[in-house]
Amino acid sequence: MGVRTLNKEIARIFNEIADFLEIKGELSFKINAYRRAAQNIENLSKDISELFKENKLHTIPGVGKELAEKIKQFIETGKVKKHEELKAEIPVGLLEIMRVPGVGPKKAKLFYEKLKIDSIDKLEEAARSHKLSTLPGIQKKTEENILKGIEFLKKSSGRIPLGRALPLSQRIIEYLLEKKVVERAEACGSIRRRKETIGDIDILGISSDPEKAMEAFTKMEIVKEVLAKGTTKSSVIVEDNIQVDLRIVDKDSFGAALQYFTGSKEHNIKLRELAVKKGLKINEYGVFDLKTDKKIAGKDEEEVYKAIGLPWIPPEIREGGEEIELALQGNLPELVELKDIKGDLHIHSKWSDGTASIEEIATCAKEMGLKYVLIADHTKGLGVAGGLNEEEISEQIKEIDSLNKKIKGVRILKGIEANIQNDGSLDVSDEVLKSLDIVIASIHHGFKNPPDVLTRRMLRAIENPYVGIIAHPTGRILGERDAYEIDIDEVMATCKKNGVALEINAYPLRLDLNDVLSRRAMEKGIMLSIGTDAHQIDQLAYLPYGVYVARRAWLRKDHLLNCMELDELLRYFKKKRGN
DNA sequence: GCCGTTTTCGGCCCGACTGTTTTCAGTCG
């Protein structure tokens, strides 16, 4: 199996084992052990097979003797014995049923044992014909809720990309502020942690009149359905079946609530364990002394972390990995910030399939406070995108030279997004590549090549001395296309050897490399490069999404090409080419 | 199933809401 999915696959199997064990009514601690290990494996920056080879599986938090054995089984045979046994014992349909909101392991088991329900269709049929309410503890209301839950599940498109959820949450917050029904509001949950996809939108607010806030929130134009409307909490469904929750808390508890609702769950559990050791208790209202029950913090987040002896931890790295241990030692890295970014290193103009002129791009970038932009249009191998031939590239270079004389304060860099062909060569001659400041190369076709062919193509491109950056290295598009099956570790090793950078493509549906792989690249000493891949002028605004990935990958500014000053950047690539 | 300057055995994070009850289990975040 290609390394790209191994960590995820093992995490998925452990989560599934946990689901099965829940149905069996196993001890919750055992179930949580599987879930904790799954979470840690998914966040692991290293490929798990590497740890296996080095006999270091036990260094993964939450992995002991038993789970290490199961990981070994999977790596060696592609299966986990216990998982297979559980699958034979319990129909997988029960896991599907548990995805219906309101149905957990207990109800799934009850429905299966009493009514032989092992699919969502059968569940729907049984609820409609009121067979469910013949069971103990189930009445009309539960049947109705289950039907609603099934409806929701069918309509919902799964997780929403951050690029959609974040702006939506910001619009809702602006609206609440404008209506003056909240004094302050923040999106929390995975939006605040800037995860690439979001389940639902959680907003936390302070208000002197919570009921008025609830009224305004549930009456928003975009609301399609009100799920619940209480005095301090309401839930609504807006366009595209996205659920939005608003909670109002006291000013004195805002920090504690923000911390609590930002998560992640794993991070919060570790935090609370640490608090208990210090004789404290954390909940969404504050930090309390266990003995006296006296509240000692809660107003803001800094205070909450400080109360348990920690510095404030950036939301992007609150995943329950090693951030708490490092914070305790005072060794948290200084994560890169948007203000550290000096340029956008991947932009298309109307010379190929973009819509903006180079002048418009440069002017906009200057307004954004950027010092440089890399124009990287497609090349002739990508006919559908109006890719440029050598002659056109030379003409574009002339235009950029003259624009650079005209526009001051921002430097337009000459680049190209060369197409990596089937044999790994580029569709542009070295002679032309030589005349450019920075060359990007990427794969745009033949994704389904066998993994070794794809990998070889990529390696050859990286070895081209003029190539500086590999764009969208895994080719995944959220909700549309999985990453291609390249051997990413071999790609990284070759990048390292040749001084080639890997891109964090900031286009919200790409975010490629993702957070986990960007971190792995950084740990291997590879430079990363943020590019918006903008095809329209307003898409230059995607730059922050690249920074979010970088922060989730624990990058500092010295890990990113974009944080170099212009002359430093140019020197870097001159040196790489050997002149 | 994991884990250890209190412990190699006995702990393991916290609270709200809902629907069903009549004190609570199940579900969720």
Side-chain angles (χ1 to χ4, degrees):
Chain A
M1 162 173 312
V3 294
R4 96 196 140 88
T5 55
L6 193 54
N7 293 17
K8 267 198 172 168
E9 190 62 13
I10 290 174
R12 189 186 67 78
I13 285 179
F14 281 3
N15 273 320
E16 231 175 77
I17 291 177
D19 289 341
F20 282 129
L21 295 180
E22 266 191 315
I23 294 171
K24 290 189 70 165
E26 271 282 3
L27 228 50
S28 64
F29 306 112
K30 194 168 176 176
I31 294 158
N32 287 338
Y34 276 97
R35 295 211 193 281
R36 193 179 335 125
Q39 186 71 36
N40 287 329
I41 289 167
E42 203 169 335
N43 287 333
L44 210 60
S45 61
K46 275 198 157 189
D47 183 59
I48 199 162
S49 63
E50 226 172 281
L51 290 175
F52 170 63
K53 274 181 225 149
E54 294 164 4
N55 206 12
K56 281 185 181 162
L57 287 176
H58 60 276
T59 61
I60 305 167
V63 174
K65 201 166 150 251
E66 292 291 320
L67 294 187
E69 167 59 25
K70 290 181 174 65
I71 295 168
K72 177 172 181 273
Q73 282 175 17
F74 189 78
I75 290 174
E76 286 176 344
T77 69
K79 282 181 180 155
V80 175
K81 197 160 154 257
K82 176 141 186 170
H83 183 233
E84 297 300 314
E85 288 167 2
L86 287 164
K87 271 201 288 189
E89 189 183 338
I90 303 165
V92 280
L94 298 204
L95 304 189
E96 192 193 346
I97 288 171
M98 277 167 62
R99 279 174 40 231
V100 177
V103 180
K106 295 288 171 355
K107 288 204 186 88
K109 189 182 181 193
L110 178 72
F111 298 159
Y112 175 63
E113 286 182 343
K114 302 283 184 199
L115 299 171
K116 294 278 160 263
I117 290 170
D118 58 4
S119 71
I120 290 187
D121 286 345
K122 284 186 191 165
L123 181 64
E124 186 172 3
E125 159 57 25
R128 281 199 200 290
S129 56
H130 304 295
K131 287 200 190 96
L132 295 185
S133 51
T134 61
L135 300 173
I138 307 285
Q139 303 223 351
K140 204 166 155 232
K141 190 82 190 178
T142 305
E143 275 182 339
E144 281 169 19
N145 284 343
I146 286 174
L147 285 173
K148 264 193 203 168
I150 292 173
E151 189 67 13
F152 176 82
L153 206 61
K154 281 184 176 168
K155 273 194 290 178
S156 98
S157 48
R159 294 179 70 84
I160 325 147
L162 178 66
R164 171 127 176 69
L166 180 58
L168 179 59
S169 72
Q170 285 163 340
R171 279 213 308 281
I172 293 171
I173 289 171
E174 270 166 35
Y175 166 88
L176 295 172
L177 287 170
E178 256 170 42
K179 289 268 168 187
K180 298 199 192 313
V181 293
V182 295
E183 291 150 45
R184 186 182 168 189
E186 300 274 349
C188 28
S190 41
I191 290 191
R192 186 151 177 262
R193 302 200 314 279
R194 305 291 193 246
K195 262 193 91 136
E196 62 193 28
T197 59
I198 308 298
D200 53 25
I201 296 177
D202 280 322
I203 297 173
L204 189 69
I206 302 175
S207 174
S208 53
D209 190 349
E211 292 192 33
K212 213 167 135 196
M214 292 302 150
E215 187 68 17
F217 175 69
T218 51
K219 293 264 163 66
M220 292 188 299
E221 239 176 66
I222 54 171
V223 171
K224 274 171 42 187
E225 192 188 342
V226 178
L227 294 177
K229 186 182 166 197
T231 48
T232 61
K233 188 194 160 189
S234 292
S235 294
V236 299
I237 301 282
V238 301
E239 56 205 28
D240 293 347
N241 220 25
I242 299 172
Q243 182 174 335
V244 188
D245 295 348
L246 174 67
R247 298 161 211 262
I248 300 294
V249 296
D250 275 354
K251 209 172 183 168
D252 288 338
S253 296
F254 189 75
L258 189 60
Q259 196 291 314
Y260 178 85
F261 289 115
T262 296
S264 66
K265 198 177 167 194
E266 290 295 326
H267 175 87
N268 285 358
I269 288 173
K270 283 195 172 182
L271 211 61
R272 280 175 236 147
E273 280 170 353
L274 186 64
V276 169
K277 278 183 195 155
K278 294 187 179 244
L280 302 167
K281 180 181 77 173
I282 309 178
N283 58 28
E284 60 258 57
Y285 302 107
V287 182
F288 299 85
D289 188 304
L290 270 178
K291 278 192 197 122
T292 63
D293 216 27
K294 198 177 153 235
K295 181 164 163 176
I296 58 171
K299 194 167 82 280
D300 56 55
E301 266 193 340
E302 284 81 357
E303 193 180 274
V304 170
Y305 281 97
K306 198 176 162 199
I308 43 176
L310 291 172
W312 181 80
I313 300 176
E316 292 94 332
I317 59 170
R318 295 183 196 169
E319 292 297 333
E322 73 258 68
E323 74 275 8
I324 291 175
E325 286 83 345
L326 289 172
L328 271 174
Q329 303 158 8
N331 282 335
L332 280 184
E334 231 177 88
L335 302 181
V336 62
E337 293 179 45
L338 183 59
K339 67 174 172 54
D340 299 323
I341 302 293
K342 299 193 165 59
D344 184 338
L345 293 175
H346 187 165
I347 301 171
H348 294 268
S349 77
K350 64 182 182 189
W351 281 76
S352 65
D353 60 346
T355 59
S357 70
I358 298 179
E359 182 163 10
E360 284 168 334
I361 293 166
T363 310
C364 177
K366 189 176 163 179
E367 279 166 15
M368 288 168 70
L370 296 181
K371 299 290 181 214
Y372 50 82
V373 284
L374 178 63
I375 302 297
D377 275 307
H378 292 291
T379 49
K380 64 187 176 200
L382 209 61
V384 284
L388 312 183
N389 60 30
E390 274 89 352
E391 229 171 277
E392 289 163 327
I393 296 173
S394 302
E395 280 171 42
Q396 192 188 49
I397 288 176
K398 280 183 209 150
E399 177 177 318
I400 292 178
D401 281 336
S402 90
L403 281 171
N404 270 330
K405 281 181 195 137
K406 188 172 141 194
I407 306 170
K408 297 295 162 200
V410 64
R411 171 74 169 268
I412 307 162
L413 296 172
K414 292 165 261 185
I416 206 78
E417 183 180 5
N419 204 29
I420 300 175
Q421 307 188 96
N422 276 329
D423 62 355
S425 65
L426 302 183
D427 60 343
V428 181
S429 71
D430 283 0
E431 202 48 41
V432 173
L433 295 182
K434 200 189 285 188
S435 61
L436 298 164
D437 293 316
I438 301 173
V439 172
I440 295 179
S442 57
I443 288 184
H444 289 101
H445 66 272
F447 311 135
K448 299 247 189 284
N449 280 352
D452 57 322
V453 174
L454 259 172
T455 305
R456 262 206 315 277
R457 269 173 84 183
M458 192 70 109
L459 298 189
R460 184 164 167 210
I462 296 166
E463 282 162 354
N464 181 314
Y466 297 105
V467 168
I469 300 167
I470 297 294
H472 42 76
T474 76
R476 71 95 175 257
I477 295 177
L478 286 170
E480 203 175 303
R481 191 168 81 202
D482 279 342
Y484 12 89
E485 298 217 26
I486 48 169
D487 186 335
I488 195 75
D489 286 307
E490 221 178 315
V491 167
M492 286 185 185
T494 310
C495 280
K496 170 75 181 153
K497 198 169 141 202
N498 290 274
V500 169
L502 287 172
E503 179 181 80
I504 295 174
N505 191 292
Y507 195 82
L509 290 185
R510 285 196 181 267
L511 303 183
D512 175 16
L513 290 181
N514 66 14
D515 47 3
V516 172
L517 289 178
S518 297
R519 188 169 180 197
R520 190 188 295 182
M522 174 268 279
E523 284 172 349
K524 292 182 186 233
I526 295 161
M527 287 300 282
L528 289 129
S529 165
I530 296 177
T532 58
D533 208 349
H535 284 69
Q536 298 165 33
I537 201 79
D538 53 356
Q539 293 177 346
L540 291 174
Y542 290 155
L543 199 57
Y545 289 89
V547 178
Y548 302 149
V549 174
R551 287 172 64 83
R552 287 184 56 83
W554 293 60
L555 301 197
R556 301 186 311 253
K557 55 184 178 182
D558 54 321
H559 295 129
L560 279 164
L561 292 177
N562 310 64
C563 298
M564 291 181 178
E565 297 292 348
L566 175 65
D567 52 346
E568 193 187 348
L569 182 71
L570 292 173
R571 263 204 313 275
Y572 179 90
F573 282 106
K574 274 192 182 153
K575 191 177 160 207
K576 173 188 165 349
R577 288 179 188 185
N579 56 18

